Amino acid sequence: MTASATPPVAAPATPPAPAQRRAHLDPRAVALLLGCCLLWGINQVAAKAALTEIGPLWQAGLRSAVAGLLVWGWAMSRGIRLFERDGSAAGGVLAGLLFAGEFACIFVGLQYTSASRMVVFIYLAPFVVALGMPWIARGEALSLRQSAGLLLAFGAMAFAFAEGFTAPGSPQQWKGDALGVAAAVLWGGTTLAIRGTRLGAAPAEKTLLYQLALSALALCAAAVATGEALPVQWSVRLLGLFNFQAVVVTFASYLVWFWLVRHYAATKLSVFTLSTPLFGLLAGALLLGEGISTRLVAALAALAVGIVLVNR
């Protein structure tokens, strides 16, 4: 599984880093990231809306399956050879399982909490990356100021999370919030797995296909095992929501994201995704009529400050 016909070589003691990885984000990267963040913010709303017609595990698993087929077709059309040995299998399996767990947490969690809250909690992921990256790349270790930003961000999330225990009319909201936090840890772990293994030198198409293929199998198997019903007839509304998630978000935007991870510093990329919760809050309010509490806005503001400190 490699992009060329070069014979595989023995894995080095430390994973290779692409020579072209940039420490700072250029205008192209910023534009691509903003587009991805907008789509990801809206994606939580689409997933929440679709839950009225399809179960969370089937929704997550089938969208990975459809997007995986699209990635495979895209790679074939560009002559990218995906199924040759290059030493990335272990990293690919790890990233795929983490990816599956992340989306199981998100989709199940959306049954208990709002899309607006979910999108805020899952963006703890940059701090998981910030904590783990020094173990992978010494040049990305945290300074004292960055560590303070990290503590501020975690405090902000704890402040927002506490609201889930007292939310009127939503006694189980804290469960969805907790699954959002778990999803953030798993997403951060996926980024670290990509950077810390030979998968970090693989084509973006291959990196994404590992995750989509394994998550499709794992999530669909979990849906069957739990007895989750698969809708026989799909409405136009459900088809629209599903295709947006599978084609636009899971195929196109994730392909762009993993290309960015391969070519730019992971901490800079993860921190920049702060704009996603903003898009998510607005989308939840405008499209689903979700309320945005003062506590949640305050937590998001503190999260923003923490991310800025971590990024300096």
Side-chain angles (χ1 to χ4, degrees):
M1 294 176 70
T2 183
S4 68
T6 305
V9 295
T14 56
Q20 69 271 33
R21 184 171 286 123
R22 302 170 179 86
H24 301 285
L25 302 181
D26 53 37
R28 176 178 63 171
V30 171
L32 290 172
L33 272 169
L34 276 176
C36 287
C37 292
L38 173 62
L39 293 172
W40 296 340
I42 298 173
N43 182 63
Q44 308 306 320
V45 174
K48 175 84 172 179
L51 286 174
T52 59
E53 299 186 58
I54 186 173
L57 296 175
W58 275 123
Q59 184 180 180
L62 290 176
R63 81 170 197 162
S64 285
V66 171
L69 290 173
L70 291 173
V71 170
W72 176 80
W74 166 263
M76 294 300 99
S77 70
R78 299 182 67 233
I80 298 173
R81 304 175 72 173
L82 298 173
F83 302 105
E84 293 184 354
R85 295 180 181 177
D86 64 353
S88 66
V93 170
L94 176 59
L97 293 176
L98 290 169
F99 188 85
E102 173 196 344
F103 282 95
C105 288
I106 291 173
F107 280 74
V108 173
L110 283 170
Q111 294 179 307
Y112 301 104
T113 194
S114 67
S116 301
R117 292 182 66 81
M118 177 62 73
V119 77
V120 171
F121 283 113
I122 63 177
Y123 279 87
L124 276 172
F127 300 100
V128 177
V129 174
L131 283 172
M133 192 56 66
W135 298 93
I136 297 172
R138 293 185 178 180
E140 298 190 38
L142 295 177
S143 66
L144 182 61
R145 176 184 295 172
Q146 291 170 321
S147 298
L150 192 67
L151 290 174
L152 176 62
F154 277 118
M157 288 301 98
F159 180 67
F161 189 86
E163 187 178 34
F165 291 103
T166 58
S170 303
Q172 298 190 40
Q173 181 174 281
W174 68 270
K175 293 182 180 179
D177 293 346
L179 286 169
V181 173
V185 174
L186 291 167
W187 182 16
T190 303
T191 302
L192 294 172
I194 293 170
R195 280 294 307 274
T197 67
R198 292 184 64 88
L199 191 60
E205 292 84 355
K206 180 176 181 179
T207 302
L208 181 54
L209 187 58
Y210 266 124
Q211 292 166 88
L212 293 175
L214 285 167
S215 64
L217 290 172
L219 291 166
C220 289
V224 172
T226 58
E228 189 174 283
L230 177 65
V232 177
Q233 294 184 337
W234 290 48
S235 69
V236 174
R237 173 181 176 275
L238 178 56
L239 286 171
L241 292 169
F242 180 83
N243 285 328
F244 170 75
Q245 294 181 69
V247 179
V248 179
V249 177
T250 313
F251 166 58
S253 75
Y254 289 175
L255 196 59
V256 171
W257 168 252
F258 290 117
W259 180 86
L260 288 167
V261 168
R262 212 183 144 212
H263 290 87
Y264 296 88
T267 48
K268 295 292 191 297
L269 293 173
S270 294
V271 167
F272 198 89
T273 57
L274 171 65
S275 57
T276 299
L278 295 174
F279 290 129
L281 286 174
L282 290 174
L286 295 174
L287 301 178
L288 295 180
E290 295 179 346
I292 301 176
S293 69
T294 302
R295 180 188 288 257
L296 188 61
V297 173
L300 181 57
L303 176 64
V305 174
I307 286 181
V308 169
L309 290 174
V310 171
N311 197 35
R312 296 188 67 174

